[in-house]
Amino acid sequence: MEYAFNKQSMMEYALNKQRWMNMNIQLDFTFESGKGQPKDSFAAGITEIVEGLFVGGEEDVSDVLPFVQVWIDLRDENPWNRIVEIPSHVVYMRIPIADGDIHRAYPVFRYAKHIAEHTLQQGEKVVISCHAGVSRSAVLAWWILADMWKDPQKAWSHIKQKRPCVEPDDRFLPFIKEHILSIACCSHD
C-alpha cells in the first residue's frame, strides 16, 4: 500500500500530533527502534493485554481462536478482509467500523466493550481484532482497561508496553478525550 505525502497531508499530520501534545496527559505515541510497528503491520501478532484479553490483527487472529471463547471483530467491510475459519466453540461478534470513523465510534465501541467486559467477568477469554491490531482494537482495549483501573494513563502505558505497535487513528481523538481520558483516577498512590 502506498501513501502519498504532500504539503497538505504533512500539515494535517503535524496539526494532529500537536493536538495530542496539547492534552493534559502525557501519552507515548512513539515507536522505539525495533519495537514499533513492523514493516508489514498486518503481522504484528496477537498480544495478551491482561489475563483473558487479547488484541491483534486479522492475519494472526486464528492463532488465538482455539484458546478464546469470544472474538470481537472490528474490521470494516472490505473485499480484501481475510477469511478466517471460526471454531465452533467461539462466539463471533462482527461489529464493523472503519478506522477513524468518529461518528460510529461511541455506539460500536460501547457495544463491543459491554461484550468484552461481560466475557471477562464470566472468566472467559476474548480477542479483539481489527485489520492490524494497532488502532480500533487498541482504542477498545484502552477504554476497557481505563474503566477497569480508573486510570487512563496507566492503562495506555500498560497497553503500549505490552503491544508497542499500537497507534490509534488521530480521528478517534474526540472519542478518546470524551470517553477514555475523562475517566477519573480513583487511586492517589
Side-chain angles (χ1 to χ4, degrees):
M1 178 180 278
E2 288 185 37
Y3 293 96
F5 289 102
N6 55 34
K7 189 175 183 179
Q8 176 72 24
S9 64
M10 292 306 287
M11 288 174 52
E12 288 174 10
Y13 174 80
L15 179 62
N16 285 331
K17 285 298 180 187
Q18 188 60 43
R19 287 182 184 143
W20 285 106
M21 298 305 199
N22 287 339
M23 292 189 303
N24 293 331
I25 186 171
Q26 286 289 346
L27 300 174
D28 176 16
F29 286 105
T30 61
F31 293 127
E32 294 179 28
S33 177
K35 291 185 175 179
Q37 188 171 7
K39 199 173 200 179
D40 177 3
S41 64
F42 293 107
I46 295 291
T47 305
E48 188 170 20
I49 302 297
V50 293
E51 187 176 345
L53 177 62
F54 298 85
V55 170
E58 66 179 352
E59 288 295 318
D60 301 297
V61 73
S62 55
D63 294 344
V64 76
L65 289 179
F67 311 106
V68 301
Q69 288 74 40
V70 176
W71 174 17
I72 299 174
D73 182 2
L74 300 174
R75 295 178 296 170
D76 52 346
E77 300 292 340
N78 282 309
W80 56 81
N81 283 354
R82 182 169 181 220
I83 297 171
V84 178
E85 186 175 332
I86 305 165
S88 60
H89 74 276
V90 173
V91 176
Y92 177 67
M93 302 299 300
R94 177 102 171 92
I95 314 170
I97 181 172
D99 205 8
D101 184 350
I102 192 62
H103 301 294
R104 294 194 61 232
Y106 181 70
V108 166
F109 288 148
R110 182 187 63 193
Y111 181 58
K113 180 177 179 278
H114 174 74
I115 293 167
E117 289 172 335
H118 179 75
T119 301
L120 293 169
Q121 288 168 356
Q122 299 300 312
E124 295 182 329
K125 297 175 182 174
V126 61
V127 61
I128 302 167
S129 73
C130 52
H131 284 291
V134 298
S135 181
R136 289 164 280 192
S137 56
V139 169
L140 179 55
W142 185 11
W143 194 18
I144 292 167
L145 288 189
D147 197 34
M148 183 187 311
W149 295 342
K150 303 300 182 213
D151 189 338
Q153 188 166 6
K154 177 182 174 187
W156 178 252
S157 295
H158 180 81
I159 290 170
K160 190 73 172 166
Q161 184 267 330
K162 290 284 194 170
R163 189 169 178 84
C165 63
V166 295
E167 183 178 17
D169 188 295
D170 288 341
R171 294 170 292 180
F172 283 139
L173 180 59
F175 174 85
I176 291 167
K177 280 185 166 180
E178 184 175 346
H179 299 286
I180 300 175
L181 296 179
S182 65
I183 294 172
C185 187
C186 293
S187 67
H188 300 286
D189 298 326

